[in-house]
């Protein structure tokens, strides 16, 4: 019997497409009429929650097929619960995305055993901003630059030994040999700010520039504080005269340690999808998110809510950042990083 190879090829292709609807279905057709879940790795009421709820309705307009976007909070373990869920449980068809705390992509690097995921396997979508942390002291403190803190001890307030401010304080001690005495036990950053005003402590080890401009803008305009060192992967453009810890690093190992420690600041407020999502849906969601960040209606709403959305980074840029830190940081530097993260 003679076989018509053209017909046979057509049958094979049709069968393959029928067996793989994921590959055959256009992105807009897939999303039309569906609901996308946007998981937030923190509790309602915080900054990440506010960002996600601001993004959701605008993102819906930019995704092909215009699915609804529903926010779901999944807090726990500093965001690790949500990221574990995203990696191990969440649907991998493109109907689940997340906005997670920026520490979570680096928890495996920090040696956190509860982090049951590989950050390099996620599909990173982008962030509306990156962060810069600042070693900040009250204007009456008798130091005027970071060099003064090499010989004169200052006190800085923090919430707990394992908190982010305490970590960045220890990072500055480890890499720049600054004489910081970290005083823990304050309920919040605002309580430390009050303690600075009262003269109980000299400063704060890592005020985010975005937090300073949104909650204490008069401190800058009235010169109520001195900014001694920037911590971050990039310098804040509005603070060209404040030296960066990366610039001040004493050697290559210290510089690598600062870069790894500042990784979360470079990740900003990252959005991501689980691993295994079809590539065309990942690409469409990346485009939709970046279009949202540049949408004038979104930008205006974010401005009214005092959300920083002025330094976007793409999903490709986030993945490149993680790839560089995870693969280029020497093992002995990672060991130092974990010691700074968990001092005992």
């Amino acid at each position: 019997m003679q076989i018509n190879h053209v017909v046979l090829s057509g049958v094979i292709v049709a069968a393959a497409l029928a067996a793989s609807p994921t590959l055959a279905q256009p992105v807009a057709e897939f999303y039309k009429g569906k609901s996308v879940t946007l998981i937030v790795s923190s509790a309602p009421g915080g900054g990440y929650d506010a960002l996600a709820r601001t993004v959701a309705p605008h993102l819906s307009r930019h995704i092909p097929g215009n699915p609804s976007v529903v926010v779901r909070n999944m807090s726990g373990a500093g965001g690790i619960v949500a990221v574990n869920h995203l990696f191990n449980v969440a649907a991998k068809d493109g109907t689940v995305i997340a906005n997670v705390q920026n520490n979570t992509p680096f928890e495996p690097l920090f040696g956190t055993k509860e982090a049951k995921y590989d950050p390099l396997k996620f599909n990173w979508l982008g962030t509306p901003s990156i962060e810069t942390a600042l070693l900040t002291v009250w204007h009456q403190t008798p130091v005027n630059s970071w060099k003064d803190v090499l010989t004169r001890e200052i006190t800085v307030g923090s919430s707990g030994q394992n908190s982010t401010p305490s970590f960045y304080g220890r990072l500055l001690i480890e890499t720049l040999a600054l004489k910081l005495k970290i005083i823990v036990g304050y309920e919040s950053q605002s309580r430390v700010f009050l303690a600075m005003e009262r003269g109980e402590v000299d400063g704060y080890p890592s005020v985010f520039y975005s937090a300073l401009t949104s909650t204490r803008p008069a401190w800058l305009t009235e010169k109520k504080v001195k900014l001694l060192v920037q911590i971050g992967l990039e310098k804040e453009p509005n603070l060209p005269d404040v030296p960066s810890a990366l610039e001040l690093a004493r050697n290559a190992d210290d510089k690598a340690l600062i870069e790894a420690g500042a990784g979360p600041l470079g990740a900003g407020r990252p959005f991501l999808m689980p691993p295994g999502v079809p590539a065309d849906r990942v690409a469409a969601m990346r485009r939709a998110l970046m279009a949202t960040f540049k949408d004038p209606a979104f930008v205006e709403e974010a401005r009214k809510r005092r959300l920083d959305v002025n330094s976007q980074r793409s999903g490709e840029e986030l993945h490149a950042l993680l790839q560089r830190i995870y693969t280029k940081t020497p093992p002995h530097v990672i060991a130092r990083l974990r010691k700074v993260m968990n001092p005992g």
Side-chain angles (χ1 to χ4, degrees), residues 131-137 157 165 168 189 192-193 196 203-213 215-216 219 225-227 229-231 239 265:
E131 299 284 4
T132 300
L134 298 158
L135 172 60
T136 305
V137 297
Y168 283 121
Q189 179 175 262
V192 180
F193 287 173
M196 290 168 61
Y204 196 80
S206 61
V207 182
F208 286 4
Y209 181 69
S210 60
L212 195 58
T213 55
T215 65
R216 296 291 193 283
W219 278 14
V225 290
K226 303 171 188 177
L227 310 179
V229 179
Q230 298 190 39
I231 310 166
L239 302 173
L265 301 174

Side-chain angles (χ1 to χ4, degrees), residues 10-285:
V11 170
I12 293 172
V13 171
L17 292 177
S20 304
T22 292
L23 297 178
Q25 195 172 15
V27 172
E29 183 180 319
F30 170 77
Y31 280 115
K32 187 174 183 180
K34 284 189 171 63
S35 176
V36 171
T37 299
L38 170 50
I39 293 173
V40 185
S41 65
S42 58
Y48 282 90
D49 182 65
L51 175 62
R53 294 181 188 279
T54 305
V55 164
H58 298 280
L59 179 61
S60 175
R61 293 188 286 105
H62 291 285
I63 301 172
N66 306 121
S68 60
V69 179
V70 180
V71 176
R72 175 189 174 194
N73 295 87
M74 187 181 291
S75 60
I80 293 175
V81 168
V83 184
N84 278 338
H85 173 84
L86 206 69
F87 192 81
N88 299 294
V89 179
K92 295 175 171 54
D93 60 354
T95 59
V96 179
I97 64 175
N99 180 210
V100 300
Q101 284 141 284
N102 58 21
N103 60 288
T104 57
F106 298 92
E107 292 296 345
L109 188 75
F110 297 154
T112 306
K113 296 179 181 179
E114 293 80 7
K116 308 295 185 183
Y117 50 84
D118 181 348
L120 298 182
K121 291 183 178 179
F122 281 113
N123 290 295
W124 296 95
L125 301 177
T127 175
S129 63
I130 60 173
E131 299 284 4
T132 300
L134 298 158
L135 172 60
T136 305
V137 297
W138 194 242
H139 67 101
Q140 293 173 326
T141 304
V143 297
N144 294 307
S145 79
W146 69 276
K147 291 181 180 179
D148 295 331
V149 191
L150 292 172
T151 55
R152 185 186 184 101
E153 183 181 77
I154 61 173
T155 57
V156 289
S158 182
S159 54
Q161 185 179 20
N162 295 320
S163 66
T164 296
S166 293
F167 166 70
Y168 283 121
R170 291 193 297 269
L171 186 67
L172 292 175
I173 294 169
E174 174 73 14
T175 58
L176 304 185
L178 298 187
K179 293 184 177 297
L180 304 180
K181 182 177 182 180
I182 303 172
I183 310 297
V184 300
Y186 290 94
E187 293 179 3
S188 63
Q189 179 175 262
S190 61
R191 292 289 185 179
V192 180
F193 287 173
L194 185 60
M196 290 168 61
E197 292 174 329
R198 290 173 174 173
E200 295 172 12
V201 294
D202 296 317
Y204 196 80
S206 61
V207 182
F208 286 4
Y209 181 69
S210 60
L212 195 58
T213 55
S214 62
T215 65
R216 296 291 193 283
W219 278 14
L220 295 173
T221 57
E222 298 175 9
K223 301 187 184 305
K224 293 291 186 181
V225 290
K226 303 171 188 177
L227 310 179
L228 304 183
V229 179
Q230 298 190 39
I231 310 166
L233 299 183
E234 301 175 26
K235 286 192 73 170
E236 168 54 50
N238 293 313
L239 302 173
D241 298 328
V242 181
S244 162
L246 282 172
E247 296 173 341
L248 303 176
R250 299 170 296 182
N251 53 56
D253 279 359
D254 285 345
K255 186 172 183 178
L257 178 56
I258 293 168
E259 183 174 50
L265 301 174
R269 303 211 166 202
F271 287 75
L272 67 159
M273 296 176 96
V277 176
D280 57 344
R281 294 175 195 168
V282 173
M285 194 65 74

